[in-house]
Amino acid sequence: GENVEQHPSTLSVQEGDSAVIKCTYSDSASNYFPWYKQELGKRPQLIIDIRSNVGEKKDQRIAVTLNKTAKHFSLHITETQPEDSAVYFCAATGSGTYKYIFGTGTRLKVLA
Amino acid sequence: NAGVTQTPKFRILKIGQSMTLQCTQDMNHNYMYWYRQDPGMGLKLIYYSVGAGITDKGEVPNGYNVSRSTTEDFPLRLELAAPSQTSVYFCASTSLGGELFFGEGSRLTVL
């Protein structure tokens, strides 16, 4: 079955710097890759997603890149702000299975 | 729309007791999921359903059961609760291969 690995587990950056979180998936049939942000005590919420027919997607300060050959995808946050501090999860789901498998999460701390 | 609604929000169980976590969604989504999230950890898939009458195991199904008699409802049953089932449980739903919408979570403690 699908397995998703996520690195790093924790990441501290200075306000204004960029943050990059990387995920690797195992099932080459996976075709949808969302990223979720979870604030303390809250539910996960979608921040950006990408499908397998696209290599990159951007939404203001957030971007996701996908390398299907290497089976990895990354979240890029530019000009980080204190409110970006949270836990970020990547996920992957395969064609025809609809099992959303999550990575282990990255705790991002933006230092003011 | 209320989205995904979970009840109860908090519950304390004694070892060996049973209970059902309720989940209902009003978005007419076919796909529904149950995840558990242990403190400081990621989301592990327990069970999922692709439509009424159809359920399948996820990564960590042992100790749980589900049913899906309607499109709206997807209850999770815990039989013979154990301390290892202490966790936050999230229900989620989606339309075809899209964004997962999560409920607010149910915090369960087994003592």
Side-chain angles (χ1 to χ4, degrees):
Chain A
E2 177 70 277
N3 184 49
V4 178
E5 295 187 358
Q6 182 172 346
H7 299 282
S9 57
T10 61
L11 179 61
S12 293
V13 298
Q14 290 294 133
E15 183 178 357
D17 286 351
S18 296
V20 180
I21 303 170
K22 299 181 179 181
C23 287
T24 302
Y25 61 98
S26 62
D27 187 352
S28 56
S30 292
N31 60 4
Y32 177 64
F33 308 93
W35 285 90
Y36 285 80
K37 177 182 181 181
Q38 186 179 30
E39 297 177 345
L40 189 62
K42 304 287 188 181
R43 74 188 92 183
Q45 293 198 301
L46 181 74
I47 55 171
I48 196 167
D49 56 11
I50 192 167
R51 297 193 182 274
S52 58
N53 58 348
V54 176
E56 183 174 358
K57 183 177 179 181
K58 190 173 181 180
D59 182 3
Q60 298 183 356
R61 297 186 297 108
I62 295 173
V64 56
T65 58
L66 172 65
N67 183 328
K68 286 193 298 182
T69 302
K71 291 192 284 187
H72 67 70
F73 56 113
S74 300
L75 177 71
H76 305 254
I77 305 174
T78 59
E79 300 173 16
T80 53
Q81 302 167 3
E83 52 265 38
D84 293 330
S85 295
V87 179
Y88 291 81
F89 293 98
C90 62
T93 184
S95 176
T97 68
Y98 305 110
K99 291 172 70 171
Y100 288 68
I101 302 299
F102 283 80
T104 49
T106 297
R107 184 174 301 277
L108 174 64
K109 296 181 183 178
V110 180
L111 307 171
Chain B
N1 287 349
V4 179
T5 303
Q6 292 181 233
T7 57
K9 288 185 170 53
F10 302 94
R11 181 73 186 267
I12 297 175
L13 279 182
K14 293 182 179 179
I15 294 172
Q17 287 186 321
S18 300
M19 74 160 297
T20 299
L21 297 176
Q22 302 290 346
C23 175
T24 187
Q25 52 91 9
D26 62 359
M27 297 174 282
N28 201 32
H29 286 165
N30 281 330
Y31 306 97
M32 296 188 73
Y33 304 80
W34 275 106
Y35 290 89
R36 61 175 287 173
Q37 184 175 35
D38 297 338
M41 302 295 284
L43 296 154
K44 289 294 187 183
L45 180 63
I46 306 172
Y47 270 96
Y48 69 107
S49 169
V50 299
I54 305 170
T55 62
D56 206 350
K57 295 178 180 179
E59 301 169 281
V60 290
N62 291 345
Y64 306 94
N65 278 300
V66 294
S67 59
R68 185 91 182 274
S69 57
T70 67
T71 299
E72 295 78 19
D73 301 308
F74 190 40
L76 178 71
R77 177 82 177 164
L78 282 74
E79 304 281 2
L80 298 175
S84 60
Q85 294 179 303
T86 293
S87 191
V88 178
Y89 292 84
F90 286 101
C91 180
S93 73
T94 185
S95 57
L96 187 65
E99 175 184 358
L100 272 181
F101 292 87
F102 285 86
E104 291 184 312
S106 298
R107 186 175 298 273
L108 175 67
T109 301
V110 182
L111 300 174

